[in-house]
Structure formats: C-alpha cells, structure tokens
C-alpha cells in the first residue's frame, strides 16, 4: 500500500516540478546575462495565465527575488503577446534562472561583471574564421581548423575591368581578406562599411582594445588583436586598387557562387570586375581612416600609414574623374563574358560615399578641399548605416575628431552631434511602443535582409549619443538591442552562433554546412527575421511570416539566416563598446 501511494505520487510530483521548473523558450532574455547594476528585463510570450515570477539561484534553488509580471502587451510586428519581467533591482552576482509558475523556467543566465564578454570576443574572432588564403590552425581555430581556401594569387581582369595597362585576362594577385558572408567572394563595397565600423570601434575605445585578446596567429605581436584582424582585410583591399589610375575594382569573385563546399575545394577562376564610384570612395574612406589610426605604429608597420593615405588620395582623384560609375551587373552581363552572378552590392546613389570619403580624408589631413562635400553631406538626413548608405560613418568620424579639425566647420559638426542626440532620443521614445521594449523595432522596416545589423547599428548610434553627452541612459538603451540580438526577441533565438542556450545552429554559411562538425563556426551573427523571405522560392519554408518572426534556422535560408561581415562588424562594435563602458557608467 505504502509503495503504491508513493508510486502514484511520482508522476504528480514530476508534473508539478515540470510546470514549475521545466525549461521553456517562452521566456525571452539575453541568454548571457545582466550587469549587476544595469536594467534587467525578460519577456514572457504566449497567453498562459501567470502572475508571479521568481529568480532562483541555479545551484541552491534559493529564491533571491520575486515580483509580479507586467501587463499584457500586444506586439505590432506579429500576433505575439508579451508580459514584461523586471528584476532590475536584483544586483546580486551569480547564475540564476527565472521561474514563472505555470510556464516554466528560463535558460540559466549570469548576473555579474563582463557578462557580454563572450559575445564581444567571439564576434571579433568570427572575422578570423572568415579569413581567405590562409590555413586556420588548430591552436587558433579549434575544431573548426581547415586548410587555406582561395589563394587568389592568380586573379583575372574581367573584360568589364579591362584598361590599357591591364587588358582582359591580365593576371593580378589579390590574396587575403575575409569571405564576405556565407559565400566565398570578396566585395569592396561591403568591406568598406565593415572596416569603417571596426576602425571606428578602435578609434572610440582604443584603451579597451589595446589589451583585448582573441587568440589569433598575430596575438604575440605588438599590435592589438583587433587591429591585426582589421589589417588582414586592409592588405587585401589595397590589392584591389589599380595602381595605374587609382580606381578600385568592385569585387574579387567567382563567376557564379560556389556550392555548399569547404573553402578552396572548387578551383573556379577568380576575377576582378569593373571599377566603380561606390567601391572607390568606400576604399578611399577606409584607407584614410586606417592611415590615421595606424600612424601610431611607425615601427611595427613602417610606411603603411603613408601608403594608405596615398592610396586614399589616388582613389579620391579617380572618383573625381569618374563620379558616376555605377556597378550594374545586369548591364555588364549584357556586354561581357563570362557572366557574373555573385552578389551585386549595386549602389546607385553616391552622395553618401562622397561625404564619408571626404570626412575621413578631412579628419586625417585637415585639407580644405574636402570641405564642400562635407558641408553638403551634413545637410542631408542621417540614418543608421547600411552597405548602401554610409553617411553616418562620416558623421561619427567628424564628431570623434572634432577637436583636431580646423575651426571652419565647427558649427555644422556641432549641430550634427545634436542631430545624433535627437535621433537617439527618438529611438528611446519609440521603445515603449515595442512589446519587447527594445529600440530595435522602431517600425516594421527594421526587419529586413540583415535586420539584426539594424539593431546593432541603432545601438552604435546610441553609443555615439553617450560619447557626446556622457548620459548613461543612452548605454542603457543600446543594451536593449544587444539583449535583442542575444535572445530578447520574438523568435527567442540568440542570433550569434556558439553563444547562449538557444542559438543559431544552421546558418547559410558554406563552411558550417560542409565541415561535418555539428556546431556552426562560432561568433557569427545571423541576418535575422526578414519578411521579404527572398529565398522562399528555393526550398525554404518559413513557419511564420510576420516581420519579427519571419526567420528560420535552416541553412537554405540566405535571406534570414546567412551571416555577413557587415553584420558582424556592428555587433563587434556594440558588444565591445558596452563591455568597455561598463565600469565607467557604474554597471
Ligand atoms: O549562397 C548565396 C548567398 O551567399 C547569397 O546571399 C544569396 C543572394 O545573392 O544567394 C545565395 O545563392 C543562392 C542563389 O542566389 C540561388 N540559388 C541557390 C543559391 C544557394 O542557396
Ligand atoms: O546584404 C545584402 C542585402 O541587403 C541585399 O538585399 C541582398 C540581395 O542583393 O544581398 C545581400 O548581400 C549578400 C551579397 O550580395 C552576397 N554575399 C552575401 C550577402 C548577404 O546575404
């Protein structure tokens, strides 16, 4: 009898236990955790009845905090309903779970110092895994070690890029750099925004990056690892300039995308294609910014700063002579063979590139000849940057270097700062309209191809507002978007591979698909929800189509689950900036 009773009780106890404590993905939160004195929010999705929540230490199961759930909030970007969990006043360090009776418990998370360090270091290291033309050795790459792919020492001048000195078929060397994304090509336009963002991260937080280690082959040298990584791509970019006229080729590419194979397995010929105004001006901006930053290493990098400035000036001059050279792949394919079907990055509007290049050259030289383009650019509206619109990078650099600049533009640059603060305040104001109380989701348009980079770039704008005002609230709100990327979003995914409890496992990333290793290459940020679903015509079927849910963790989905360097750069900036600022702002 006794036996029978306890036997009957086991399922009951188990049932109570699981409803109380079973891990559920209905609780959305930054899966890494929270700084001791920072705001702490999680969101419950669904319509289950619940009113209380508890924060319980993971080991002792002691309740350290309890309170009530917020009211139901209906999302504007899907049918999702949320209830806010606010435990900001809990400041105790440790590993905890959030328990909502009737719903379950969250993934474990940490409260403490450096909680986002894992994301900060991993996303920077992500660039190392994208390196072209060199082997990734076991001691740096762990189980993702691989032989070198694409040497790019014999690259052909495509007929679209032919010139008198370099006729079609001429062989040039263009080794190194990073693979752009899930594909194996290298695009100057996209390298431009990526490098501008990474160089700005260094320029804004030099002391922090000076000691940050990512375990890369150059870690033993005297440069910070972050700059070593940037240099790997910079040296490639320099090979993309035609030394005869200063023009820069749009990309170094296969004619068609490789299949889902490891880097370098296919031996298809590689080409550089037509020079373009967007590519050349983006190159000019990056080379000018690099020249300024690398100046402090004359012994370690002899002559490099000067060569970068020279390359930048030559590029600028080419652009003056070729102010409207659009990269139009369809047009090129109607004229030349072989046809090129890889990524286009076909920007048609160049005023933002003119402004960005002029700003970087001006910050590095103070030369008056760039002032007209800067004045023009400062009058235009600012938006967070994307590969096709880079003007914000110019604004950020002018503000950062303001005190070293000639006084002529001071007033305009000051009002540019006020404009950034105004946009930051608007972001914060709109946050309350969002069911997850993140800055991400200002409108449905934030969810697009690579929307997670929109979240990261909004965060960077807020960090810039902090750097201008030293008002901590801007970091608090930048943090909402880091939280978004790391799990506080409608999908419940942490969008960076290798991090958190429920992260992206099947990115559209050729190496991750082909390497026979279960875990994807780490530190790469997926593009995220994209209601455009441009890949649906292939084999991908999205379970949800609403803006904030149009995401699928399958490698067929290049429109919602690819990774790309111009998306990784802003998450590097955002996560490292917040780590760098944590003490200063009292987290
Ligand atoms: O793999 C390609 C990816 O890197 C690009 O972002 C995407 C859009 O240009 O294209 C992918 O390649 C697909 C191609 O466009 C259509 N056929 C299927 C290819 C691989 O899934
Ligand atoms: O990020 C790009 C996105 O804005 C475009 O809509 C899309 C289609 O042209 O292309 C994206 O860029 C891809 C590039 O063309 C090729 N490498 C992978 C990039 C990310 O998907």
């Amino acid at each position: 009898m006794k036996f029978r009773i306890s036997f009957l009780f086991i399922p009951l106890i188990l049932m109570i236990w699981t409803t109380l404590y079973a891990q559920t993905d209905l609780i959305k939160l930054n899966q890494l955790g929270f700084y001791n004195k920072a705001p702490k929010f999680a969101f419950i999705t669904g319509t289950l009845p619940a009113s209380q929540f508890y924060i319980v230490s993971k080991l002792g199961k002691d309740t350290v905090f309890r309170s009530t759930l917020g009211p139901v909030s209906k999302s504007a970007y899907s049918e999702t309903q949320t209830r806010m969990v606010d435990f900001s006043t809990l400041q105790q360090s440790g590993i905890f779970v959030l328990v909502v009776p009737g719903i379950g418990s969250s993934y474990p998370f940490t409260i403490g110092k450096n909680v986002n360090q894992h994301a900060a270091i991993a996303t920077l290291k992500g660039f190392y895994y994208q390196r072209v033309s060199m082997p990734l050795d076991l001691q740096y790459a762990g189980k993702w070690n691989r032989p070198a792919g694409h040497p790019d020492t014999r690259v052909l001048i495509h007929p679209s890029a032919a010139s008198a000195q370099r006729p079609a078929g001429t062989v040039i060397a263009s080794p190194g750099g990073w693979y752009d994304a899930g594909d194996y090509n290298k695009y100057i336009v996209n390298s431009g925004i990526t490098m501008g963002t990474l160089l700005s991260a260094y320029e804004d937080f030099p002391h922090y990056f000076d000691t940050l280690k990512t375990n890369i082959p150059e870690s033993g040298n005297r440069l910070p690892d972050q700059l070593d990584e940037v240099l790997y791509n910079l040296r490639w970019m320099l090979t993309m300039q035609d030394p005869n006229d200063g023009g820069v080729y749009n990309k170094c590419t296969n004619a068609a995308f490789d299949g889902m194979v490891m880097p370098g397995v296919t031996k298809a010929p590689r080409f550089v294609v037509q020079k373009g105004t967007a590519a050349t001006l983006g190159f000019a901006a990056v080379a000018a910014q690099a020249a300024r930053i690398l100046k402090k290493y004359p012994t370690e990098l002899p002559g490099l700063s000067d060569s970068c400035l020279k390359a930048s000036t030559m590029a600028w001059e080419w652009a003056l002579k070729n102010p409207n050279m659009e990269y139009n792949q369809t047009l090129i394919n109607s004229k030349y063979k072989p046809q090129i079907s890889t990524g286009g990055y076909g920007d048609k509007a160049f005023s933002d590139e003119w402004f960005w290049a002029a700003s970087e050259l001006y910050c590095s030289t103070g030369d008056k000849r760039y002032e007209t383009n800067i004045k023009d650019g400062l009058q235009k509206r600012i938006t967070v940057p994307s590969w096709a619109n880079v003007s914000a990078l110019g604004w950020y650099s002018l503000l950062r270097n303001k005190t070293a600049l000639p006084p002529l533009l001071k007033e305009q640059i000051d009002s540019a700062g006020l404009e950034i603060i105004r946009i930051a305040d608007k972001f914060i104001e709109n946050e309350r309209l969002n069911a997850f109380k993140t800055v991400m989701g200002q409108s449905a348009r934030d969810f697009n191809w690579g929307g997670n980079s929109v979240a990261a770039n909004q965060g960077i704008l807020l960090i810039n507002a902090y750097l201008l005002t030293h008002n901590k609230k801007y970091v608090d709100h930048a943090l909402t978007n880091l939280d978004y990327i790391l799990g506080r979003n409608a999908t419940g995914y942490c969008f960076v591979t290798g991090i958190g409890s429920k992260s992206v496992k099947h990115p559209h990333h050729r190496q991750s698909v082909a390497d026979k290793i279960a875990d994807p290459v780490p530190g790469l940020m997926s593009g995220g929800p994209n209601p455009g679903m441009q890949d649906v015509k292939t084999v991908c079927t999205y379970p949800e189509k609403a803006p904030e849910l149009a995401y699928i963790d399958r490698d067929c989905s290049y429109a919602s689950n690819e990774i790309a360097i111009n998306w990784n750069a802003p998450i590097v900036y955002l996560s490292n900036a917040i780590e760098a600022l944590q003490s200063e702002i009292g987290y």
Side-chain angles (χ1 to χ4, degrees), residues 180-185 187 257-258 260 341-344 449 508 510 538 555-559 562-563 567:
D180 181 58
D183 64 320
Y184 291 148
N185 305 295
Y187 308 82
F257 286 116
D258 274 335
M260 296 314 246
S341 59
T342 53
W449 194 321
H508 183 87
R510 283 169 172 70
T538 57
D555 57 44
C556 57
S557 183
Y558 51 83
E562 189 163 353
I563 65 93
W567 307 337

Side-chain angles (χ1 to χ4, degrees), residues 118-350:
H118 188 184
I121 292 178
T123 51
L124 177 53
K125 179 73 177 268
F127 283 88
Y128 165 74
Y129 290 107
Q130 291 294 101
R131 288 191 189 185
V132 186
S133 317
M134 67 175 273
L136 305 189
D137 292 333
L138 181 72
Q139 73 181 113
Y140 313 111
K143 63 182 172 184
W144 297 280
N145 70 87
R146 61 164 169 83
H150 302 86
D152 288 342
T153 43
R154 293 184 55 79
V155 172
L156 303 171
I157 303 282
H158 186 262
S160 64
S163 60
Q165 290 98 332
R166 290 180 163 186
T170 305
V171 175
I172 64 165
S174 189
W178 301 307
Y179 291 121
D180 181 58
D183 64 320
Y184 291 148
N185 305 295
K186 308 188 282 194
Y187 308 82
I188 287 289
V189 167
N190 207 39
S191 260
I193 179 172
T194 304
M195 294 285 279
T197 305
L198 292 174
L199 285 165
S200 296
Y202 183 80
E203 219 176 8
D204 280 331
F205 303 100
H207 304 303
Y208 165 85
F209 281 114
D210 280 346
T211 56
L212 189 79
K213 291 285 176 207
T214 55
N215 182 34
I216 53 177
E218 300 82 6
S219 289
N221 73 14
R222 287 165 56 195
L223 293 174
D225 286 3
Q226 200 257 9
L227 286 183
D228 276 320
E229 196 54 61
V230 164
L231 270 172
Y232 194 75
N233 199 59
L234 179 69
R235 293 190 197 279
W236 165 68
M237 287 183 82
L238 293 171
T239 70
M240 290 291 282
Q241 182 175 42
D242 181 349
N244 301 298
D245 64 4
V248 178
Y249 305 107
N250 269 285
K251 55 179 167 174
C252 173
T253 183
N254 284 11
F257 286 116
D258 274 335
M260 296 314 246
V261 296
M262 289 296 282
V265 166
T266 50
K267 308 284 178 209
R270 304 272 274 183
F271 299 93
V272 290
V273 298
Q274 188 198 279
K275 293 164 191 164
T277 307
T280 304
L281 287 171
F283 172 99
V286 168
Q289 191 177 11
R292 181 166 80 234
I293 293 172
L294 300 178
K295 223 185 191 156
K296 68 173 197 200
Y297 301 102
T299 331
E300 295 81 359
L301 303 168
L304 186 59
S305 168
D306 289 345
S307 328
C308 285
L309 193 57
K310 192 162 160 252
S312 173
T313 315
M314 271 183 81
W316 175 265
E317 273 153 20
W318 183 92
L320 288 176
K321 289 182 211 132
N322 301 273
N324 274 309
M325 186 77 88
E326 182 189 326
Y327 184 73
N328 180 335
Q329 203 154 271
T330 317
L331 192 66
I332 290 171
N333 284 339
S334 71
K335 294 193 200 156
Y336 306 107
K337 292 253 152 4
Q339 300 225 333
I340 305 290
S341 59
T342 53
Y345 291 117
D347 193 2
K348 293 188 183 63
F350 306 129

Side-chain angles (χ1 to χ4, degrees), residues 265-520:
V265 166
T266 50
K267 308 284 178 209
R270 304 272 274 183
F271 299 93
V272 290
V273 298
Q274 188 198 279
K275 293 164 191 164
T277 307
T280 304
L281 287 171
F283 172 99
V286 168
Q289 191 177 11
R292 181 166 80 234
I293 293 172
L294 300 178
K295 223 185 191 156
K296 68 173 197 200
Y297 301 102
T299 331
E300 295 81 359
L301 303 168
L304 186 59
S305 168
D306 289 345
S307 328
C308 285
L309 193 57
K310 192 162 160 252
S312 173
T313 315
M314 271 183 81
W316 175 265
E317 273 153 20
W318 183 92
L320 288 176
K321 289 182 211 132
N322 301 273
N324 274 309
M325 186 77 88
E326 182 189 326
Y327 184 73
N328 180 335
Q329 203 154 271
T330 317
L331 192 66
I332 290 171
N333 284 339
S334 71
K335 294 193 200 156
Y336 306 107
K337 292 253 152 4
Q339 300 225 333
I340 305 290
S341 59
T342 53
Y345 291 117
D347 193 2
K348 293 188 183 63
F350 306 129
S351 63
D352 55 310
E353 281 84 7
W354 281 109
F355 170 69
W356 181 34
S359 302
E360 297 301 347
L361 275 157
Y362 189 63
C363 290
S364 297
T365 63
D367 192 327
K368 277 188 159 2
R369 67 172 160 153
Y370 304 113
E371 281 172 357
T372 322
N373 288 90
I374 296 177
K375 266 191 215 147
D376 291 351
L378 285 174
Q379 270 150 34
K380 301 223 162 72
R381 280 195 48 202
I382 187 187
T383 51
V384 294
S386 64
W387 64 261
N389 187 345
V390 287
S391 55
L393 298 175
W395 288 53
Y396 296 157
S397 282
L398 290 170
L399 285 161
R400 183 188 306 124
N401 289 283
K402 194 175 69 175
T403 49
L405 293 177
L408 195 76
L409 294 172
K410 191 176 175 306
E411 226 169 274
Q412 280 106 318
I413 296 175
D414 282 341
S415 47
L418 294 178
E419 181 62 6
I420 286 186
I421 295 164
R422 190 192 65 80
I423 298 170
D425 287 333
K426 190 111 203 293
F427 279 174
I428 295 172
E429 191 189 314
N430 289 344
E431 199 184 275
R432 72 194 149 75
L433 306 173
N434 184 295
F436 292 87
K437 303 287 176 280
T438 58
V439 166
M440 174 60 176
Q442 294 281 305
S443 81
R445 281 192 306 277
D446 283 2
F447 304 94
N448 56 30
W449 194 321
N452 284 338
S453 73
V454 174
N457 274 306
Q458 290 170 338
I460 294 177
L461 187 137
L462 287 155
I463 297 289
N464 275 274
Y466 169 78
L467 295 172
L468 290 166
T469 59
H470 290 277
N471 185 335
K472 170 182 176 291
K473 78 171 176 191
Y474 295 112
V475 185
D476 289 347
H477 293 276
L479 190 53
T480 67
N481 275 11
L482 184 57
D483 284 357
Y484 171 91
I485 292 166
L486 302 181
R488 176 175 158 189
N489 63 68
T491 71
Y493 276 96
C494 167
F495 288 116
V496 177
T497 56
I499 282 180
S501 300
K502 183 191 179 183
S503 61
V504 172
K505 285 280 187 285
H506 307 286
H508 183 87
H509 181 245
R510 283 169 172 70
Q511 177 176 342
S512 297
V513 173
D515 64 8
K516 301 201 174 72
I517 296 164
D519 295 325

